[in-house]
Amino acid sequence: MLDKLKDFSSRFFVTGEPMIYGADVAILLTLAGIIFVLTYLKKWKWLWREWLTTVDHKKIGIMYMLSSLLMLFRGGVDALLMRIQLAFPQWHFLDSNHYNEIFTTHGTIMILFMAMPLMFAFFNIVVPLQIGARDVAYPFLNAVSFWLFFFGAMLFNLSFVIGGSPDAGWLSYPPLSGMQFSPGPGQDFYIWGIQISGIGSLASGINFIMTILKMRAPGMKLMHMPLFTWSVLASCIIIIFAFPVLTVTLALLFIDRFFDGHLFTMTGGGNPMMYINLIWMWGHPEVYIVVLPAFGIFSEIVATFSQKKIFGYKSMVFSMMIISVLSYFTWVHHFFTMGAGANVNVFFAITTMAIGIPTGVKVFNWLFTMFRGRIQMTQPMLWTIAFIPCFVVGGATGVMLSAAPADYQYHNSYFLVAHFHQVLIGGVVFGFFAGLYYWWPKMFGFKLNDRLGKWAFWTWNIGFYVCFMPQYALGFMGMTRRIYTYDFDMGWGPLNVISTVGAFFMGIGFIFQAWQILHGIKYGERDVTGDPWNGRTLEWSIPSPPPHYNFAVIPTVTGQDAWWTIKEERKKKKAKETAVFSPIHMPKNSGIPFIMSVFWFIAGFGLTFHWVWMAIFGLTGVGACLLARSFQYNSDYYIPVDEIRHTEDSVGRVG
Amino acid sequence: MAYATAHHEEHHHEHDEGIKVMGFWLFLVTDCILFGALFATYAVLVNHTAGGLTGKEFFEVPGFVSETFILLTSSFTSGLAVLSMHKEKIKPLIGWLIVTLLLGMCFVGLEIHEFQTMVHEGATISTSAFFTAFYTLVSTHGLHVSVGIIWMISITIQLKRYGITSVTKRKVTIISLYWHFLDAVWIFLYTVVYLMGVM
Ligand code: HEM
Ligand SMILES: [Cu+2]
């Protein structure tokens, strides 16, 4: 009996690595610390009532943001570990297997559990405010989406200490990810962690499309919408077309693993290339899903801090829509070497290059907006300006990669690694940082320190170029991706050392940002106006942070830049009109999204370890939660006028 | 004032219910893509039988024709349920929903029976790529129908309890949309998998 238990636990827990024991201890200590603090401060009830059961889109957005920043930390530590390993030839900091696990978890976490949720954070925090709505179209579903993401991410991260991490790359190509080569639970952690959070993402896509189409303030036509809202719409359209493909792909991979199927195996007539096509049909659009909202953020920031209307609004909208369609027709450029024939490759090479055109249009529009504007070099603006050259270089190397014949040369080399980090960090991460600095006062009611922000900005930026420019060269020198060590005589050593130094600079940048946030919590300058940047869109018309119903009175919109127009009119008229309040209809909090996602987590864990009883238990719980919700008829309430008046009074808003 | 609030409330609810139905249409779009990807997989792997058995040896015409017939009929009866709902007649509404349910159960029963016979005769999910694709595609549809059955039972109970209101109306509308959608998917399955399989 005892032997059996020992045997089981040595397979169940990841053992043998001192670093992992360290992590085990750290995780336990953190958990114990959290439990202690919550109990000591008697905050359990508060946590449950205010956060775990909330359906308020702003709070959900904040939870998305916090979790994704944590994931950025974890993915960043992974990156640094890899860079340490690669710094010197014949270095044995990590072994090959560990290296494989780390690049797999790094890529997966950065894209699915960092970039996606950070993007959803902005959707949640900003979109309803920008369109003058009190909530999203389906507040309950919104909470479900968040908790699914959260527990999916937890499941994936658990693989680190229980069962073992996946090691077949962030897209898990078979046959490597099949039973034969990955018999352990790592691969199943990958499948279910992503599957569970992916269902949440799909639901968010539907939710925000409906929010944008149906919840806009009276008078706001589509062509009056702020560009960030447009970018969200474009991104969500891609989500609803791409994510079902991901769902299918992961399900098929699981069928091969669990039921001993032959879809992608080499035996039994399966076809691994089928998987690679399917996963990139999701994977390529995915990068546009995360980069389009960043474009939206830049558009808002450029207009605000140039104190001008955005240049070429219509062409901005049009180019985003074109990108969202084209993004779906480029997936083959990830494997020109598949052998599909010249005509197929030419088609996909041309569609890929074509995306450069609308993207170029956007860059010129941003430049024209800045041209002759009264530019204010605030923190959001700094990141926006740094983004432009970075993205232009990244785009140019992308076009180099998209030339099918040349790709036979760059394929899977460090040139590629440098390229995609340049667009992902320069485009997505810088964009989301810009957004964080821009909307931070709106979210929390205080500004972040400028000096610390500048330090963070410069360390990140210098670190970025020092880290990734040498990698282009390394690519030409023949260094391929996903290798864990190399020989002295390859001559790759010096450039790799430089690259690692750059990576550490970015790590320091991140520390500055964490410091900046802590500093802000303590000393941050309060924003009492609700409009610290002299903004143009409706989110700046209400107090910071906004009351839970957002708008005491829904504004009427007459054109673009609605808040700017209102301000101009107020200046002219001088007299303030007194607001007439009426009761506000709001959804009630609910514990079901949280509980249901816990059941999903249980089901996912069971499926990962192929424990059918546990999976059935979890799925039954999910079903029970759905039924419980279906029978809930009394799920909303009205905020009485007195309460609204009181709340508005306390933020100095009664006219 | 009381009247004004009540009126306001009614208005609000109808607006909310309308948005929910539209959102469901979007969900159906995503489900279409999901099935599309499965069909594509099937189409790619249809001849990958690893030199072994093909569908032709297993598909039984009376079996899948009666499945088709039953499902089409259930789609029709769910339409009748919606018609009764629009006439505000609760009894026929519940009655037709129950008929639809029973037909749905027959369909799932027949499908399980079909799978059992096939497995018995030696065509399992791991026999070849073709069979993996076949079972995956067909049982995804079957799973959808099963979920629909449980869902419809829950709505029937709610109708009994609350009668026809704007909320239950929306729920019936949505489930019938879902049911018709599954019917449409089946027609593709019937043609692409079964008819082309036996020809
Ligand atoms: C913060 C600085 C970062 C550094 C220093 C870094 C470093 C690395 C390294 C060393 C690799 C492994 C390359 C190889 O051996 O093939 C890698 C892979 C990867 N990184 Fe990063 N990374 C960073 C940020 C990011 C971000 C922000 C994203 C996405 C939003 C990202 C996405 C990926 C992906 C998708 C892979 C490929 C994983 C695979 O091969 O399966 N990285 N990164
Ligand atoms: Cu691509």
Side-chain angles (χ1 to χ4, degrees):
Chain A
M1 183 63 199
L2 200 68
D3 274 351
K4 252 192 181 163
L5 206 68
K6 253 193 190 156
D7 182 49
F8 168 76
S9 58
S10 75
R11 269 185 295 117
F12 189 68
F13 296 107
V14 177
T15 52
E17 285 264 353
M19 263 196 297
I20 292 192
Y21 289 131
D24 288 345
V25 174
I27 290 171
L28 286 178
L29 284 181
T30 318
L31 269 182
I34 293 173
I35 293 173
F36 175 76
V37 169
L38 284 173
T39 315
Y40 186 74
L41 299 175
K42 300 207 177 64
K43 286 288 191 188
W44 285 106
K45 228 186 181 156
W46 165 83
L47 184 70
W48 176 257
R49 260 215 314 259
E50 296 288 319
W51 295 95
L52 304 189
T53 60
T54 189
V55 289
D56 181 344
H57 64 94
K58 300 177 287 297
K59 284 187 175 165
I60 291 175
I62 287 171
M63 291 193 288
Y64 265 122
M65 187 192 84
L66 290 177
S67 351
S68 77
L69 288 180
L70 279 180
M71 288 293 107
L72 178 61
F73 177 72
R74 150 123 210 228
V77 171
D78 280 348
L80 292 182
L81 291 176
M82 285 189 288
R83 278 318 319 169
I84 295 174
Q85 166 61 25
L86 290 172
F88 307 107
Q90 292 293 359
W91 185 245
H92 289 285
F93 175 66
L94 304 172
D95 62 37
S96 61
N97 184 42
H98 202 171
Y99 189 83
N100 291 349
E101 292 183 352
I102 291 186
F103 73 66
T104 303
T105 49
H106 163 78
T108 313
I109 284 181
M110 282 299 197
I111 293 194
L112 283 148
F113 302 127
M114 187 285 284
M116 286 294 276
L118 201 49
M119 172 186 92
F120 286 132
F122 291 118
F123 286 16
N124 270 287
I125 292 163
V126 180
V127 169
L129 301 184
Q130 275 199 333
I131 62 175
R134 292 209 164 107
D135 215 326
V136 296
Y138 318 112
F140 178 88
L141 184 68
N142 198 25
V144 172
S145 291
F146 170 73
W147 289 111
L148 285 178
F149 145 70
F150 183 82
F151 282 102
M154 288 301 111
L155 186 64
F156 184 84
N157 275 281
L158 207 59
S159 66
F160 179 44
V161 288
I162 289 180
S165 298
D167 57 3
W170 81 284
L171 289 178
S172 270
Y173 286 180
L176 202 54
S177 57
M179 250 326 175
Q180 195 188 347
F181 298 105
S182 293
Q187 216 47 55
D188 298 304
F189 270 119
Y190 171 92
I191 292 174
W192 290 103
I194 297 179
Q195 192 72 300
I196 291 171
S197 72
I199 298 169
S201 305
L202 186 55
S204 286
I206 296 177
N207 208 338
F208 280 91
I209 291 184
M210 293 308 295
T211 305
I212 294 170
L213 292 184
K214 284 282 151 187
M215 309 280 283
R216 294 192 311 274
M220 185 182 278
K221 301 205 181 91
L222 281 176
M223 287 315 248
H224 294 159
M225 290 195 318
L227 280 173
F228 177 68
T229 299
W230 263 113
S231 72
V232 174
L233 184 62
S235 169
C236 286
I237 292 174
I238 312 181
I239 288 180
I240 68 166
F241 283 96
F243 266 76
V245 182
L246 175 67
T247 308
V248 167
T249 314
L250 293 172
L252 296 182
L253 185 61
F254 187 71
I255 285 169
D256 264 10
R257 294 177 55 84
F258 187 76
F259 296 105
D260 191 19
H262 292 293
L263 298 162
F264 309 129
T265 58
M266 303 297 241
T267 55
N271 183 356
M273 226 43 228
M274 179 79 201
Y275 179 92
I276 296 173
N277 274 284
L278 281 171
I279 195 92
W280 278 114
M281 256 184 234
W282 160 78
H284 187 84
E286 168 65 18
V287 302
Y288 288 94
I289 291 172
V290 290
V291 87
L292 282 175
F295 289 172
I297 292 172
F298 293 132
S299 305
E300 299 294 335
I301 290 174
V302 164
T304 302
F305 296 112
S306 308
Q307 307 185 50
K308 268 170 71 182
K309 220 164 138 172
I310 191 86
F311 182 88
Y313 175 90
K314 273 194 188 147
S315 61
M316 287 296 221
V317 171
F318 199 58
S319 63
M320 282 194 283
M321 288 297 144
I322 292 185
I323 292 176
S324 73
V325 175
L326 276 183
S327 72
Y328 217 63
F329 294 97
T330 61
W331 79 87
V332 173
H333 67 209
H334 294 274
F335 40 89
F336 281 138
T337 46
M338 169 168 74
N343 287 337
V344 174
N345 281 358
V346 165
F347 172 81
F348 284 96
I350 290 175
T351 50
T352 305
M353 293 179 200
I355 286 197
I357 300 168
T359 315
V361 168
K362 303 186 76 69
V363 172
F364 281 111
N365 281 339
W366 290 317
L367 293 176
F368 281 126
T369 310
M370 285 187 246
F371 182 66
R372 296 223 172 117
R374 278 163 293 155
I375 298 182
Q376 298 162 315
M377 275 298 168
T378 55
Q379 293 180 65
M381 195 62 180
L382 274 179
W383 289 94
T384 306
I385 289 177
F387 146 81
I388 291 177
C390 194
F391 202 79
V392 168
V393 176
T397 54
V399 172
M400 286 170 72
L401 284 164
S402 74
D407 188 57
Y408 277 73
Q409 195 59 40
Y410 316 129
H411 189 65
N412 276 349
S413 75
Y414 251 75
F415 187 88
L416 168 80
V417 175
H419 154 72
F420 72 70
H421 281 93
Q422 185 143 28
V423 284
L424 282 169
I425 297 182
V428 179
V429 178
F430 283 13
F432 291 174
F433 283 168
L436 278 181
Y437 287 112
Y438 184 56
W439 282 300
W440 191 275
K442 182 51 52 189
M443 285 185 256
F444 298 106
F446 61 86
K447 283 197 194 175
L448 292 169
N449 182 282
D450 249 343
R451 256 173 77 88
L452 287 171
K454 289 229 167 82
W455 278 98
F457 174 80
W458 286 109
T459 36
W460 261 104
N461 271 274
I462 295 171
F464 174 82
Y465 288 98
V466 175
C467 180
F468 291 104
M469 292 306 122
Q471 294 185 5
Y472 284 117
L474 283 168
F476 285 129
M477 290 160 74
M479 181 163 161
T480 51
R481 73 192 289 205
R482 296 176 180 172
I483 55 169
Y484 91 108
T485 195
Y486 49 90
D487 267 334
F488 284 93
D489 49 14
M490 305 302 283
W492 302 338
L495 285 174
N496 270 308
V497 175
I498 297 174
S499 177
T500 302
V501 171
F504 272 90
F505 262 88
M506 285 187 271
I508 296 169
F510 185 76
I511 293 174
F512 273 118
Q513 290 175 311
W515 181 6
Q516 200 186 4
I517 292 174
L518 294 177
H519 179 278
I521 292 173
K522 243 181 140 177
Y523 310 107
E525 180 196 333
R526 295 226 36 100
D527 164 36
V528 286
T529 59
D531 187 11
W533 312 120
N534 195 10
R536 315 181 70 82
T537 40
L538 285 174
E539 73 268 35
W540 306 109
S541 69
I542 52 177
S544 321
H548 62 300
Y549 48 76
N550 299 349
F551 296 87
V553 178
I554 299 282
T556 305
V557 178
T558 51
Q560 266 172 46
D561 291 347
W563 174 231
W564 190 263
T565 322
I566 296 174
K567 281 193 281 194
E568 297 281 290
E569 266 168 22
R570 280 196 191 157
K571 264 187 224 151
K572 266 187 245 147
K573 272 198 284 188
K574 295 242 159 70
K576 264 197 196 163
E577 59 276 14
T578 39
V580 185
F581 299 136
S582 53
I584 296 177
H585 181 237
M586 295 297 283
K588 277 187 194 159
N589 281 5
S590 167
I592 294 177
F594 181 82
I595 296 169
M596 186 166 95
S597 307
V598 171
F599 278 118
W600 267 112
F601 179 85
I602 295 171
F605 194 81
L607 288 166
T608 296
F609 281 91
H610 296 198
W611 295 338
V612 176
W613 58 272
M614 195 171 180
I616 291 178
F617 172 75
L619 290 175
T620 314
V622 171
C625 287
L626 285 172
L627 283 179
R629 174 62 181 178
S630 183
F631 277 88
Q632 212 174 46
Y633 270 64
N634 186 6
S635 59
D636 38 17
Y637 71 105
Y638 277 86
I639 309 177
V641 170
D642 283 345
E643 195 186 321
I644 304 169
R645 189 164 292 132
H646 182 76
T647 314
E648 292 290 300
D649 231 352
S650 67
V651 287
R653 284 279 169 152
V654 170
Chain B
M1 184 61 207
Y3 167 76
T5 319
H7 176 77
H8 188 74
E9 198 154 332
E10 194 48 38
H11 180 74
H12 234 298
H13 276 231
E14 246 146 57
H15 178 73
D16 281 2
E17 306 311 325
I19 290 189
K20 283 179 182 162
V21 175
M22 282 186 65
F24 195 76
W25 275 103
L26 266 192
F27 165 76
L28 288 183
V29 170
T30 66
D31 225 18
C32 265
I33 296 165
L34 184 137
F35 275 107
L38 288 174
F39 271 106
T41 316
Y42 181 82
V44 168
L45 298 176
V46 66
N47 292 322
H48 291 221
T49 52
L53 305 158
T54 64
K56 200 168 182 160
E57 284 125 70
F58 290 94
F59 298 156
E60 293 195 8
V61 180
F64 69 77
V65 169
S66 46
E67 280 172 36
T68 310
F69 183 71
I70 289 172
L71 202 65
L72 288 184
T73 314
S74 79
S75 210
F76 180 67
T77 56
S78 81
L80 290 177
V82 173
L83 273 183
S84 327
M85 179 180 81
H86 286 314
K87 289 192 200 135
E88 306 281 332
K89 287 186 181 154
I90 182 99
K91 272 212 179 119
L93 164 56
I94 291 181
W96 285 122
L97 280 184
I98 291 176
V99 175
T100 311
L101 269 172
L102 292 176
L103 288 169
M105 287 177 185
C106 282
F107 172 84
V108 175
L110 276 177
E111 191 161 84
I112 292 176
H113 177 74
E114 180 200 347
F115 283 3
Q116 271 174 345
T117 349
M118 282 176 66
V119 169
H120 207 72
E121 289 167 13
T124 69
I125 192 164
S126 58
T127 301
S128 67
F130 163 72
F131 280 107
T132 318
F134 165 79
Y135 280 110
T136 307
L137 175 58
V138 178
S139 62
T140 304
H141 176 268
L143 216 60
H144 271 74
V145 177
S146 313
V147 169
I149 290 171
I150 299 174
W151 188 4
M152 205 181 272
I153 293 175
S154 131
I155 292 177
T156 314
I157 298 172
Q158 291 173 42
L159 278 171
K160 264 218 140 72
R161 218 184 255 183
Y162 304 106
I164 301 179
T165 66
S166 62
V167 176
T168 48
K169 254 189 184 166
R170 181 251 306 164
K171 292 191 178 188
V172 174
T173 312
I174 285 181
I175 187 87
S176 81
L177 270 179
Y178 181 72
W179 205 260
H180 290 314
F181 168 75
L182 291 183
D183 207 31
V185 173
W186 178 261
I187 293 175
F188 279 96
L189 275 175
Y190 172 74
T191 326
V192 174
V193 177
Y194 289 103
L195 276 188
M196 285 163 73
V198 292
M199 271 191 309

